[in-house]
Amino acid sequence: MSVQSTHSPRGPISGFHSQAAYEIPPEDSNAILRVSAYRRIDFDLAVIWFSPHTHTKMLTSTLPTSNKPTATLGELDRLPLELVNMICLEMDVASLLRFRQTNTRARQIIGVLHEYRTITTHAINPLCALLRTGLASGITLSDFYRLLCTQSCSLCGSEYGDLVHLPLWIRCCSSCLRQNSPGIRVATLTTVKRTLKLSRKSLGQLPKLTTLPGIYTMDERPRSKRVTIVSTASALSACREEHAGVEASQDMIKQLSTQPILAFMACCALPSFDLQTGQAQNGVSCAGCQVALEESVITFTGAWAGEIRDAVYSHDGFLEHFTRCEQAQLLWTGSNCGTRPPPKLPYSCQKGGFFKRRE
């Protein structure tokens, strides 16, 4: 499902963008990212998030084994290893982890899979989210890896997708989430039943997520009760199928969209893995844009000022932004080309946003 982008314009803004594009020497790229960009940790904390302590058991259980197998996999071991690997890639995550617990031989086979190792190294948070919300049986290992190797938001198509929307298993960006994009709205299963009157068969086929207790949204709203939610896009599609293509009424759609917080409870931060470099990256935001707001360089406060500051970029996307962002360039020059901290780096950029740290 696609929606028209409502993100901030990318055209030059007087008094904010430099008149001429800054030419970045290739050897300075990493230092510019270190000095002028920062990760908005609060965007990660506004959705499903786990303390690093929570990962201890998971990380231990996913480590490759060095023990020598003492038992085989029976008939499965008679197949060529390449075929066994292909079978593992098409297993859903829940089945794969159960298979891995069979014996040392199973752990050995799965532990050397590039896709499995990449996921357990770089995407442990969304892996935990799938398992704990009950969606792990609907996503295969190859599904997970393919999404990990993408970058763009599936909704607007123009932004770096720093999040995964779990029920639809698509990338989305924090901006689409904050703007309550129709493509990632969710509703409780109870609301869907009451509003759309779907058959038991249709309801049974909808991917269901059981929410987790935590703190959600940019207002840091705590939620302790667990509820079952489904994608409104999936529910409306099922409704069309049951009624020979007839769309749900606007009143029905409105009734399904009364709790925007639920969309935050259906998302989790997801890095992106670059197949060419073999490196993973998280999205970054521009410290120069924060300076521009704090020092009133951006004089307009209504249209797009917050969105410009809150934009999340891939590393390449940020470097392209940097070539025109005057305040980011000033941070770079103020750092003596990366040899010292810039003198005007805002405190919010130093700590990764505006939320208090959580453990």
Short mmCIF file of all heavy atoms in Angstrom, two decimals, residues 73 76-88 105 108-110 112-113:
data_model
loop_
_atom_site.label_atom_id
_atom_site.label_comp_id
_atom_site.label_asym_id
_atom_site.label_seq_id
_atom_site.Cartn_x
_atom_site.Cartn_y
_atom_site.Cartn_z
N LEU A 73 21.17 -36.02 11.96
CA LEU A 73 19.79 -35.57 11.75
C LEU A 73 18.96 -36.62 11.04
O LEU A 73 17.93 -36.32 10.43
CB LEU A 73 19.79 -34.26 10.95
CG LEU A 73 20.42 -33.06 11.65
CD1 LEU A 73 20.48 -31.87 10.72
CD2 LEU A 73 19.67 -32.71 12.93
N LEU A 76 17.54 -36.58 7.12
CA LEU A 76 17.88 -35.25 6.61
C LEU A 76 19.37 -35.15 6.30
O LEU A 76 19.76 -34.43 5.37
CB LEU A 76 17.49 -34.19 7.66
CG LEU A 76 17.45 -32.74 7.19
CD1 LEU A 76 16.44 -32.56 6.06
CD2 LEU A 76 17.09 -31.82 8.36
N ASP A 77 20.19 -35.87 7.02
CA ASP A 77 21.63 -35.82 6.79
C ASP A 77 22.04 -36.53 5.50
O ASP A 77 23.19 -36.42 5.07
CB ASP A 77 22.38 -36.45 7.97
CG ASP A 77 23.05 -35.40 8.86
OD1 ASP A 77 23.31 -34.30 8.35
OD2 ASP A 77 23.28 -35.68 10.04
N ARG A 78 21.12 -37.23 4.88
CA ARG A 78 21.42 -37.89 3.61
C ARG A 78 21.32 -36.92 2.43
O ARG A 78 21.76 -37.23 1.33
CB ARG A 78 20.47 -39.08 3.41
CG ARG A 78 20.61 -40.15 4.48
CD ARG A 78 19.64 -41.28 4.29
NE ARG A 78 19.89 -41.98 3.03
CZ ARG A 78 19.16 -43.02 2.61
NH1 ARG A 78 18.14 -43.46 3.36
NH2 ARG A 78 19.45 -43.62 1.46
N LEU A 79 20.70 -35.78 2.68
CA LEU A 79 20.58 -34.77 1.62
C LEU A 79 21.88 -34.00 1.47
O LEU A 79 22.64 -33.85 2.43
CB LEU A 79 19.44 -33.80 1.95
CG LEU A 79 18.03 -34.38 2.04
CD1 LEU A 79 17.06 -33.30 2.51
CD2 LEU A 79 17.59 -34.95 0.70
N PRO A 80 22.14 -33.45 0.26
CA PRO A 80 23.30 -32.56 0.11
C PRO A 80 23.17 -31.36 1.03
O PRO A 80 22.06 -30.85 1.27
CB PRO A 80 23.22 -32.14 -1.37
CG PRO A 80 22.40 -33.18 -2.03
CD PRO A 80 21.42 -33.66 -1.00
N LEU A 81 24.30 -30.89 1.56
CA LEU A 81 24.27 -29.78 2.51
C LEU A 81 23.63 -28.54 1.89
O LEU A 81 22.93 -27.79 2.58
CB LEU A 81 25.70 -29.47 2.97
CG LEU A 81 25.83 -28.36 4.03
CD1 LEU A 81 25.02 -28.71 5.28
CD2 LEU A 81 27.30 -28.14 4.38
N GLU A 82 23.87 -28.30 0.59
CA GLU A 82 23.28 -27.13 -0.08
C GLU A 82 21.76 -27.19 -0.01
O GLU A 82 21.10 -26.16 0.19
CB GLU A 82 23.73 -27.07 -1.55
CG GLU A 82 25.21 -26.78 -1.75
CD GLU A 82 26.09 -28.02 -1.57
OE1 GLU A 82 25.52 -29.12 -1.32
OE2 GLU A 82 27.32 -27.90 -1.66
N LEU A 83 21.19 -28.38 -0.16
CA LEU A 83 19.74 -28.53 -0.10
C LEU A 83 19.22 -28.32 1.32
O LEU A 83 18.17 -27.70 1.53
CB LEU A 83 19.33 -29.90 -0.62
CG LEU A 83 17.82 -30.18 -0.75
CD1 LEU A 83 17.16 -29.11 -1.61
CD2 LEU A 83 17.59 -31.57 -1.33
N VAL A 84 19.96 -28.83 2.29
CA VAL A 84 19.58 -28.62 3.69
C VAL A 84 19.59 -27.12 4.01
O VAL A 84 18.69 -26.61 4.69
CB VAL A 84 20.53 -29.38 4.64
CG1 VAL A 84 20.19 -29.07 6.11
CG2 VAL A 84 20.43 -30.88 4.40
N ASN A 85 20.61 -26.42 3.52
CA ASN A 85 20.68 -24.97 3.74
C ASN A 85 19.49 -24.25 3.12
O ASN A 85 18.92 -23.33 3.72
CB ASN A 85 21.98 -24.41 3.15
CG ASN A 85 23.20 -24.82 3.95
OD1 ASN A 85 23.09 -25.26 5.09
ND2 ASN A 85 24.37 -24.70 3.35
N MET A 86 19.09 -24.67 1.93
CA MET A 86 17.93 -24.06 1.27
C MET A 86 16.66 -24.30 2.09
O MET A 86 15.81 -23.41 2.22
CB MET A 86 17.77 -24.63 -0.14
CG MET A 86 18.86 -24.20 -1.11
SD MET A 86 18.74 -25.03 -2.72
CE MET A 86 17.15 -24.43 -3.28
N ILE A 87 16.53 -25.49 2.65
CA ILE A 87 15.37 -25.79 3.50
C ILE A 87 15.36 -24.89 4.72
O ILE A 87 14.32 -24.34 5.11
CB ILE A 87 15.39 -27.28 3.92
CG1 ILE A 87 15.17 -28.17 2.70
CG2 ILE A 87 14.34 -27.55 4.99
CD1 ILE A 87 15.37 -29.65 2.98
N CYS A 88 16.53 -24.70 5.33
CA CYS A 88 16.62 -23.85 6.52
C CYS A 88 16.23 -22.40 6.20
O CYS A 88 15.56 -21.74 7.00
CB CYS A 88 18.03 -23.89 7.09
SG CYS A 88 18.47 -25.47 7.86
N ARG A 105 24.38 -31.16 15.82
CA ARG A 105 24.49 -31.14 14.36
C ARG A 105 23.59 -30.06 13.77
O ARG A 105 24.00 -29.32 12.86
CB ARG A 105 24.10 -32.52 13.80
CG ARG A 105 24.06 -32.61 12.28
CD ARG A 105 25.40 -32.31 11.66
NE ARG A 105 25.35 -32.51 10.20
CZ ARG A 105 26.15 -31.91 9.35
NH1 ARG A 105 27.08 -31.07 9.79
NH2 ARG A 105 26.06 -32.14 8.06
N GLN A 108 25.08 -26.73 14.40
CA GLN A 108 26.24 -26.52 13.53
C GLN A 108 25.81 -26.07 12.14
O GLN A 108 26.37 -25.13 11.57
CB GLN A 108 27.03 -27.83 13.45
CG GLN A 108 28.33 -27.74 12.66
CD GLN A 108 29.00 -29.09 12.57
OE1 GLN A 108 28.48 -30.01 11.94
NE2 GLN A 108 30.16 -29.22 13.22
N ILE A 109 24.80 -26.73 11.59
CA ILE A 109 24.33 -26.40 10.24
C ILE A 109 23.78 -24.98 10.18
O ILE A 109 24.14 -24.19 9.29
CB ILE A 109 23.25 -27.41 9.78
CG1 ILE A 109 23.88 -28.77 9.51
CG2 ILE A 109 22.51 -26.90 8.54
CD1 ILE A 109 22.89 -29.86 9.21
N ILE A 110 22.95 -24.63 11.15
CA ILE A 110 22.33 -23.30 11.14
C ILE A 110 23.35 -22.23 11.50
O ILE A 110 23.34 -21.12 10.94
CB ILE A 110 21.13 -23.27 12.11
CG1 ILE A 110 20.03 -24.20 11.59
CG2 ILE A 110 20.59 -21.85 12.27
CD1 ILE A 110 18.88 -24.39 12.54
N VAL A 112 26.37 -21.79 10.74
CA VAL A 112 27.28 -21.32 9.70
C VAL A 112 26.55 -20.65 8.54
O VAL A 112 27.21 -20.15 7.62
CB VAL A 112 28.14 -22.49 9.15
CG1 VAL A 112 29.00 -23.08 10.25
CG2 VAL A 112 27.26 -23.57 8.53
N LEU A 113 25.23 -20.60 8.58
CA LEU A 113 24.48 -19.92 7.53
C LEU A 113 24.78 -18.41 7.59
O LEU A 113 24.62 -17.78 8.64
CB LEU A 113 22.98 -20.14 7.69
CG LEU A 113 22.42 -21.51 7.29
CD1 LEU A 113 20.95 -21.59 7.67
CD2 LEU A 113 22.60 -21.75 5.80
#
